[in-house]
Amino acid sequence: MGFDITSIRNDFPNLQQTVHGEPLVYLDNAATTFKPQSVIDAITNHYSHETSNVHRGVHHLSEVATAAYEGAREKVRAFLNANSTKEIILTSGTTDSINLMAQSYGRALLDEGDEILITEMEHHSNIVPWQMLCQEKGCVLKVVPMNDDGELIIEEFHKLLNAKTKLVSVVYISNSLGTINPIKDIIKAAHAQGTSVIVDGAQAVSHTEIDVQDLDCDFFAFSAHKLYGPTGVGVLYGKEALLDTMAPYRGGGDMIASVTFEKTTYNVLPYKFEAGTPNVAGVIGLGAAIDYLNTLDFTDILQYKQKLLAYGTDQLSSIKDLRLIGTAKQKTSILSFVHPLIHAHDMGTLVDEQGIAIRTGHHCTQPVMKHFGVPATSRASLAMYNTTEEIDALVKAILHAVEVFQ
Amino acid sequence: MGYDSKTELYQQVILEHNKKPRNFGKMDDATHDAEGYNPLCGDQLHVYLHINADNVIDNITFEGEGCAISKASGSMMTQALKGKTMDEAKALFTEFHDLVTGKLNPEKCEHHLGKLAIFSGIWHFPSRVKCASLSWHTMKGALDKEQTISTE
Ligand SMILES: Cc1ncc(COP(=O)(O)O)c(C=O)c1O
């Protein structure tokens, strides 16, 4: 099929604009990706022609909207290679998915003294829900450390994993470092200990093909907006047998089979976790994003992004005194860096003047910042529609910033 | 490199104060002090004041980590406040706050900001306003005897 960058860029209307008089260079894809026209059209179409609630009415539009909504669920199932759509819970995002896990699965499973194992490179959304649970239940949060390249110290993981570990929750790909963790090994070792594993796949879905059966993960969370889809939609995949044992997390409409004031019986999977009117248009948009990706070849995308990463790493490394944060052997196209003369926020403002969008700050991973002894980093995160010319523009803008601060 | 800066944000004065912040360091005999924190960027700074029996700030210092805007703002604040009374300092806080939030146009309104008027353009950068105001909020917190100030 080949990888046609020009044609891909043409699919994303957001790319076709100038910022401060310069062509926009968008390098903040780990925060959120742009949406192809087909996703925007799918959402517009829902609001223009198919607006209706789902699972409620017998009228025509409700049937149409329900079919589109459930069709999107099936697309997600196929995208993850899950066994059944019963295993696909639609949420509002990764954060919501992890909170569901903590409040439903975690709360029922964990007792005082039990341990939850996470890593030093987790996003705050895979730290705070567990801390809240630990506070409530008296369990203990254990943290697998990383080395100075931003790689997990896997021997430490094996040491920390023990009979008291009731849950392992790990980020597949780090949003602040780009590290790809050896997720399959982690899952295998945890299963040997009888421990379930939750995978935070927020960054992974746009970077690598996901097969939840091959990974054998018990749960997998991601957000549509980092996969060229809309904000406000996410997914929690869970093995059916485990989801079956879990109690609902929120109560309301749609998640029930019958309600009387004496007793409520819950709906079947996946609906028992989907209380209230869902983000119908958003879910349809997620389905369209998956359709869009299916027109491309993941191997091509991956190769192209690895090429961008290698080029970007070379170019940034050539800047005097610039330090790359996150130099794992296995990593994706995320380039975090610091410069001794320039605070990340000044860097962000100065490159923005040239129309270049990067992220500056702690990236919701304050423990990572602490590890590297920096308050913040600048981060360029590259998507499949970025180009080496855009990396050149970034390098030029950084050199200009250095000159200003010299 | 090939182009000029397009904004007025990083003027020489700011860059110079960033490089050589005035009154930078800890004060051992401070009568008032507070810690300021900007959770957005992790910037942290500490402001120390020595206030004499006449309620005059006879010494003021700051220390900490931050971007050029926050460092330069802290540095210029210490220069502006040395010798001022507590009430004058609080009044100047209000003027500075109005300046960086775009409520006070230094070219149109009467003010006592002097060199601090250089920060007037920052309200065009909403995410950076807190960088400029962190030291001032921390100073005010110290005067009001609050220990920790957060910009959120
Ligand atoms: C690794 C990782 N986990 C979790 C999240 C949270 O995702 P969301 O804000 O979409 O819930 C993010 C997004 O920043 C992320 O990068």
Side-chain angles (χ1 to χ4, degrees), chain A residues 318-340:
Chain A
S318 73
I319 298 174
K320 193 166 163 289
D321 297 330
L322 184 138
R323 174 181 167 210
L324 284 174
I325 301 282
T327 44
K329 282 184 267 324
Q330 299 294 324
K331 69 173 279 193
T332 59
S333 45
I334 287 176
L335 293 156
S336 269
F337 57 95
V338 292
H339 191 285

Side-chain angles (χ1 to χ4, degrees), chain A residues 68-134:
Chain A
Y69 181 83
E70 289 304 325
R73 192 193 307 275
E74 165 55 25
K75 289 171 191 175
V76 174
R77 185 210 62 74
F79 178 73
L80 297 177
N81 192 31
N83 237 325
S84 144
T85 50
K86 288 184 195 163
E87 300 179 318
I88 306 298
I89 317 292
L90 296 161
T91 66
S92 73
T94 309
T95 304
D96 191 28
S97 298
I98 297 174
N99 276 278
L100 190 165
M101 286 306 302
Q103 292 306 315
S104 170
Y105 191 75
R107 186 182 271 163
L109 183 81
L110 289 153
D111 286 316
E112 199 173 330
D114 286 344
E115 296 177 1
I116 303 167
L117 192 53
I118 62 170
T119 80
E120 199 179 353
M121 64 178 87
E122 298 309 322
H123 188 277
H124 294 166
S125 61
N126 198 25
I127 302 174
V128 184
W130 305 116
Q131 283 174 328
M132 290 163 69
L133 187 69
C134 285

